[in-house]
Amino acid sequence: MKYGFFDGSNKEYVIERPDTPVPWINYLGVENYCGLISNTAGGYSFYKDPKLRRITRYRYNNVPVDRPGRYIYIRNNGTGDFWSPTWQPACKSPDKYECRHGLSYTRISYSYKKTDTQILYFVPLGDNCEIWRMKIKNSSERAGQFDIFAYVEFCLWEAQREMVDWDHAVTKFKNNAIYNVTQYPQRGVTGFCSYLWSSQPVVSWDGFRDSFIGKYHSETNPIAVENGCCNNVHACGWSACGALHNKIELEPGEEKSVTFILGYAENDDNENKVFDKYANPENITRAFNQLKDYWADVLSHYCVTSPDEQLNQMVNIWNQYQVCTTFNWSRTASYYEEGIGRGMGFRDSCQDTQGFVYQIPSKVRQRLIDLFSTQFSNGRVAHQYSPLTKQGFEPNEGDGRLWQASDDHLWMALAVDDYIKETGDLDFLNQPIPFSDGSASSLYEHLKRAIIYTWNQTGHYGLPKIKTVDWNDCLKINLFSDKDMAVSVMVAEQFVLSARITANLARLCNHSNDAAEILQMAQEMMDRINNHAWDGKWYVRAFDNQGVPLGSSKEKYGRIWLNSQVWAVISGVAQPDRAIQCMDSVYENLFTKYGVALFKPAYPSWDIKVGSLSTYPPGVKENGSIFCHTNPWAIIAECILGRGNRAYEYYKANLPCCANDVAEIRCAEPYIYAQTIKSDEHRDFGQASNSWLTGAASWNFKAASQYILGIQPDYDGLKIDPCIPSHFKSLSVTRKFREALINIQIENPHCLNKGVKSLLVNGNKIEGNTLPGKYSKKTVNVTANII
Ligand code: GLC
């Protein structure tokens, strides 16, 4: 069953009925202001940080679902009947409903009893506010008088604390707007405000939720809307809201517009300027067009035309869009992440930059500086940091021990490597960056200390200690043990890759002694893995405190794990025979029709050996689900092995748009990757959750754009090394690379998977498959034949 379709020409996903299996959302804003909006206008907004600067409230796991939001009510003054032109929260059956989620905007059309509305929501570039532009048309034969109410529930900035502490709330009405002016200076909340403004004269208003909604009413039937008038009551210590009431008269066939602006302002902002600007509809149109131009430019950096429309649509539009969203908001605020627990994750953010760097490299440069500034001088990094304060911090699990991920710092080299390959900016390695507990040193030195840190933290078999966790946040092998000897094979493999990259970067910035030393460490670690972690048909995943393997054929549960196989291949630890053997084991044991499971069999109940992952039911999240973040690693590994058909099979199985027609099974949005899909060990096999903010975005873009389609930035140019399914006979890619526009035509006359040996560059043959990086500010035409 489907709930909508892709409109490729407008780059929109069109939802045709409001009662989607779960709210299908979009993100407004690509700079500091962010709004999450569902297909029925639910969601919330924040400025920079959803924990410390939350503008509106949202109730997670609420009944009814998805409340509150950015709501409008329309009341027919003649009949007293009222509805919401976004279906929720009044939920009156529409004659027509359509929601179009576009790139950083959402448009909801609704017809109810011959009144047609269309609301466009977006955040204009350069302003810290969101525009709700509603057109309303009277399609009946009689003149109508309508009361229009706009409503938000203000949050008092600190999203967690204010759930229970509302005594500070203060709102006021001025300049045709309701302001939330709540301050509490002792917590640094001072000098800023949020507001809701209307372009039409406000005839009544409320700043006090109890006054607008009414006690024992809800958003479905606010008392003010029932009565056709607000009560002009502001909040004075409790339950702040913004509600504005306009009146509109419409002749038969007449259409009018009203604009509401929800925004954030600081001391020196003059929000009147924003009101004046957007009171003129031409400026709204201009701002909207600027947003469209912004996205047209971003998407022009990578564009493929292949024989597979679904791949084209995901690579060219939706995957790139999600990559930008994850770069901006890491795992902070989604419909699953409530924006109060985690800040920007260190490992997550490093990985997010890898998919995003081709879009806006300068933003990645700054992000890496911010991230690496949370590193300690011993090489360890803080697991997360606040986007507002930029201070690093560790999760608090309350058992008094230092929380330490063994992998966080090993993602640094990969992110830097991708940035340098994209830009050629080798100088970045010399960038001074402070340590959080000491003086500054070069970025290269930060990378080196990360390597040395892991090298000095080994347990059984000389492999890296797993510490609290590794990439798998729920794999707590050391739980209830102070021995700290458990080790992670995945981290060992990551170490090998990270060390090799760091050695390469050392060479490029003239630290050749370091390069040799670090390469030697990589080689030794590789030997340790191959000597101790090979189980016969695959690599084990870890060893516990006693040195007993996890992920071996002798076990009942968790016999084979994906990550230690794919990383063995990606890092180059596995030599060809083992690489093929372990990836075949993955295919035989872990592949399902919706993607590759994290491991199998899942743990049926609590198991102290693996800790908190076994608290999830079998097939859910870290307990053996199809973790979409890891599926592109399998694709990349298969491409490294040259097996394009299998890589493509994995890619398609996990591609969100392929679940469009089984939306009742998938539940989550079909235009966006989810973090996880329940595996075939679960009753609801195929059901996805934690959509939007996931490493699946960045890694899938990398897997598709650089490995399947094979357009790989390298230090000295652009490598063309596709690994495609054999039925792709030709395809083309347009890539902006270091200021050149490169048109690449790939021909596959013999139905192979891989094998570009030479290139035709503007008609001249060059040997090898790397287009030199010298083609700046030019259009270059390249033909590559797979032979
Ligand atoms: C989530 C976390 C990520 C972690 C993964 C596996 O996606 O954001 O940091 O690696 O889960 O536990």
Side-chain angles (χ1 to χ4, degrees):
M1 178 175 172
K2 56 179 170 179
Y3 287 73
F5 62 93
F6 289 85
D7 175 350
S9 53
N10 286 309
K11 302 186 175 67
E12 291 170 340
Y13 187 83
V14 187
I15 302 168
E16 296 176 292
R17 44 185 290 179
D19 57 340
T20 45
V22 296
W24 286 0
I25 72 159
N26 196 7
Y27 281 75
L28 310 176
V30 287
E31 297 167 324
N32 292 323
Y33 186 103
C34 178
L36 286 74
I37 182 168
S38 73
N39 57 309
T40 60
Y44 62 98
S45 301
F46 61 91
Y47 172 75
K48 279 193 181 172
D49 185 331
K51 182 173 182 181
L52 301 174
R53 291 288 183 280
R54 184 82 65 103
I55 294 170
T56 55
R57 291 184 116 197
Y58 190 73
R59 281 179 277 283
Y60 280 82
N61 303 325
N62 194 34
V63 177
V65 73
D66 192 22
R67 301 222 182 151
R70 35 185 76 68
Y71 291 145
I72 294 177
Y73 300 87
I74 302 174
R75 180 176 182 277
N76 185 321
N77 209 348
T79 62
D81 190 13
F82 66 88
W83 67 99
S84 307
T86 50
W87 192 56
Q88 282 244 61
C91 296
K92 303 275 173 78
S93 294
D95 300 322
K96 183 194 148 201
Y97 161 91
E98 184 188 85
C99 169
R100 289 180 170 258
H101 283 320
L103 301 177
S104 304
Y105 68 89
T106 287
R107 194 184 268 121
I108 301 180
S109 306
Y110 206 81
S111 296
Y112 180 78
K113 295 193 178 165
K114 306 224 160 156
T115 308
D116 307 320
T117 47
Q118 192 186 75
I119 312 171
L120 170 68
Y121 302 90
F122 73 101
V123 174
L125 294 168
D127 286 319
N128 291 321
C129 67
E130 61 188 69
I131 291 178
W132 318 349
R133 172 94 177 139
M134 179 169 80
K135 287 187 203 157
I136 172 165
K137 183 175 175 188
N138 177 5
S139 295
S140 77
E141 271 98 56
R142 265 176 295 151
Q145 292 188 328
F146 300 94
D147 295 299
I148 313 287
F149 299 88
Y151 169 75
V152 293
E153 194 175 327
F154 283 126
C155 184
L156 310 183
W157 311 115
E158 285 193 46
Q160 186 164 20
R161 180 185 160 108
E162 72 96 53
M163 282 181 202
V164 290
D165 179 1
W166 265 17
D167 289 323
H168 309 271
V170 179
T171 57
K172 67 180 181 191
F173 178 77
K174 68 167 187 177
N175 303 337
N176 225 38
I178 285 277
Y179 286 78
N180 165 26
V181 292
T182 306
Q183 315 278 304
Y184 31 116
Q186 71 277 19
R187 296 179 67 84
V189 175
T190 174
F192 45 86
C193 65
S194 52
Y195 57 80
L196 179 69
W197 171 85
S198 172
S199 64
Q200 298 294 316
V202 171
V203 293
S204 72
W205 53 269
D206 270 313
F208 190 45
R209 191 184 68 175
D210 287 1
S211 172
F212 180 77
I213 298 279
K215 287 243 194 271
Y216 305 105
H217 282 235
S218 74
E219 294 103 342
T220 305
N221 59 348
I223 192 95
V225 179
E226 279 186 357
N227 294 339
C229 195
C230 300
N231 300 299
N232 295 1
V233 178
H234 61 79
C236 191
W238 206 249
S239 107
C241 80
L244 300 173
H245 172 203
N246 303 139
K247 280 187 178 292
I248 288 189
E249 295 191 6
L250 292 171
E251 295 301 323
E254 193 184 8
E255 180 180 279
K256 285 187 179 164
S257 295
V258 51
T259 302
F260 299 103
I261 297 183
L262 173 66
Y264 169 89
E266 301 211 326
N267 264 343
D268 47 357
D269 284 356
N270 186 347
E271 65 285 353
N272 281 326
K273 277 196 201 145
V274 172
F275 304 160
D276 290 348
K277 182 167 162 192
Y278 297 115
N280 179 352
E282 278 175 22
N283 288 334
I284 297 180
T285 308
R286 190 170 301 126
F288 186 56
N289 287 338
Q290 278 171 357
L291 185 65
K292 289 205 133 187
D293 291 348
Y294 171 90
W295 274 108
D297 177 52
V298 167
L299 298 187
S300 71
H301 291 212
Y302 196 108
C303 187
V304 60
T305 308
S306 83
D308 183 338
E309 270 308 316
Q310 291 178 317
L311 177 149
N312 297 347
Q313 159 181 284
M314 289 305 294
V315 169
N316 292 340
I317 305 170
W318 293 98
N319 197 174
Q320 297 199 39
Y321 182 45
Q322 188 179 0
V323 158
C324 172
T325 311
T326 58
F327 174 81
N328 285 340
W329 307 117
S330 186
R331 310 296 172 266
T332 54
S334 72
Y335 262 38
Y336 305 87
E337 282 107 350
E338 74 305 304
I340 53 181
R342 306 152 110 190
M344 310 281 279
F346 191 96
R347 77 156 82 88
D348 292 329
S349 292
C350 282
Q351 292 170 78
D352 293 342
T353 67
Q354 293 186 261
F356 177 77
V357 65
Y358 78 98
Q359 288 189 16
I360 310 179
S362 57
K363 281 196 174 183
V364 167
R365 194 178 199 282
Q366 186 55 51
R367 173 66 55 80
L368 294 177
I369 292 173
D370 290 346
L371 281 169
F372 294 6
S373 304
T374 70
Q375 188 179 25
F376 300 95
S377 47
N378 68 359
R380 190 173 80 78
V381 301
H383 188 61
Q384 44 209 13
Y385 83 101
S386 151
L388 191 71
T389 65
K390 308 233 167 133
Q391 296 299 307
F393 60 98
E394 306 295 353
N396 179 4
E397 297 205 338
D399 72 354
R401 280 188 282 186
L402 176 65
W403 200 99
Q404 282 192 72
S406 46
D407 67 315
D408 278 336
H409 52 285
L410 295 176
W411 296 101
M412 296 166 71
L414 278 69
V416 171
D417 199 46
D418 278 8
Y419 168 81
I420 289 177
K421 285 175 171 166
E422 182 66 36
T423 58
D425 176 15
L426 270 175
D427 238 16
F428 190 38
L429 293 169
N430 301 320
Q431 169 74 34
I433 300 180
F435 289 103
S436 70
D437 58 349
S439 55
S441 70
S442 70
L443 178 140
Y444 164 72
E445 180 66 24
H446 280 253
L447 297 183
K448 182 178 155 189
R449 291 198 196 179
I451 295 298
I452 306 290
Y453 182 75
T454 293
W455 184 248
N456 289 334
Q457 300 278 332
T458 52
H460 286 299
Y461 310 117
L463 299 173
K465 292 181 179 178
I466 195 167
K467 303 274 169 187
T468 315
V469 294
D470 65 8
W471 170 90
N472 188 324
D473 269 343
C474 301
L475 181 54
K476 303 251 166 75
I477 297 182
N478 273 327
L479 199 72
F480 307 128
S481 160
D482 289 324
K483 232 173 124 200
D484 193 20
M485 281 299 283
V487 293
S488 163
V489 174
M490 178 181 175
V491 171
E493 293 163 345
Q494 275 184 278
F495 173 85
V496 172
L497 181 64
S498 193
R500 283 187 169 151
I501 292 171
T502 305
N504 217 7
L505 296 174
R507 190 178 49 79
L508 291 171
C509 64
N510 301 322
H511 292 287
S512 39
N513 290 346
D514 285 0
E517 238 174 81
I518 296 172
L519 264 187
Q520 183 56 33
M521 293 175 192
Q523 184 59 47
E524 272 183 43
M525 188 62 77
M526 184 165 151
D527 293 343
R528 292 175 199 170
I529 300 168
N530 277 315
N531 291 340
H532 300 287
W534 182 250
D535 188 62
K537 287 187 169 178
W538 57 76
Y539 289 91
V540 303
R541 176 66 173 80
F543 292 91
D544 72 8
N545 270 319
Q546 280 68 45
V548 177
L550 178 82
S552 102
S553 53
K554 291 172 203 72
E555 282 165 279
K556 191 160 177 204
Y557 304 112
R559 294 175 74 231
I560 169 168
W561 295 60
L562 175 66
N563 289 2
S564 42
Q565 320 318 321
V566 290
W567 279 92
V569 178
I570 294 172
S571 63
V573 163
Q575 296 310 296
D577 50 341
R578 284 190 176 181
I580 287 180
Q581 172 68 73
C582 74
M583 289 308 295
D584 283 348
S585 298
V586 164
Y587 189 70
E588 281 155 29
N589 293 282
L590 299 177
F591 185 45
T592 76
K593 67 174 172 175
Y594 297 126
V596 188
L598 206 48
F599 65 83
K600 277 198 174 179
Y603 293 85
S605 56
W606 167 250
D607 191 326
I608 197 168
K609 187 165 175 192
V610 286
S612 58
L613 71 80
S614 60
T615 60
Y616 292 115
V620 175
K621 296 271 279 187
E622 275 88 343
N623 192 5
S625 78
I626 300 160
F627 218 85
C628 301
H629 185 152
T630 60
N631 272 250
W633 295 340
I635 296 170
I636 292 172
E638 287 296 350
C639 287
I640 290 173
L641 299 182
R643 304 198 291 190
N645 290 351
R646 189 172 284 174
Y648 179 74
E649 194 179 355
Y650 285 161
Y651 181 69
K652 290 289 285 201
N654 202 235
L655 200 63
C657 65
C658 294
N660 190 59
D661 296 357
V662 288
E664 76 287 5
I665 296 174
R666 176 56 49 97
C667 289
E669 298 92 330
Y671 41 91
I672 286 298
Y673 281 98
Q675 179 208 59
T676 171
I677 298 173
K678 294 190 174 79
S679 83
D680 52 359
E681 294 190 79
H682 190 276
R683 181 192 67 195
D684 301 326
F685 176 39
Q687 184 186 87
S689 75
N690 290 58
S691 55
W692 282 94
L693 300 184
T694 156
S698 170
W699 278 107
N700 270 298
F701 187 70
K702 196 166 171 179
S705 65
Q706 296 195 23
Y707 286 87
I708 296 179
L709 303 170
I711 314 302
Q712 288 181 15
D714 210 338
Y715 302 115
D716 47 5
L718 195 64
K719 198 159 150 194
I720 319 287
D721 191 18
C723 182
I724 51 179
S726 44
H727 70 274
F728 277 21
K729 292 199 103 177
S730 86
L731 62 108
S732 62
V733 176
T734 304
R735 175 70 153 88
K736 282 191 181 154
F737 179 64
R738 301 188 194 169
E739 297 182 22
L741 179 70
I742 305 179
N743 299 315
I744 305 149
Q745 182 65 36
I746 296 168
E747 298 295 341
N748 183 22
H750 310 301
C751 299
L752 303 174
N753 291 132
K754 195 176 170 115
V756 173
K757 307 207 168 50
S758 62
L759 301 173
L760 266 189
V761 182
N762 291 335
N764 302 315
K765 186 169 174 182
I766 61 170
E767 285 308 321
N769 60 356
T770 301
L771 176 75
K774 64 181 180 187
Y775 296 98
S776 73
K777 296 196 176 145
K778 282 196 191 132
T779 300
V780 188
N781 296 317
V782 181
T783 306
N785 291 315
I786 301 180
I787 47 171

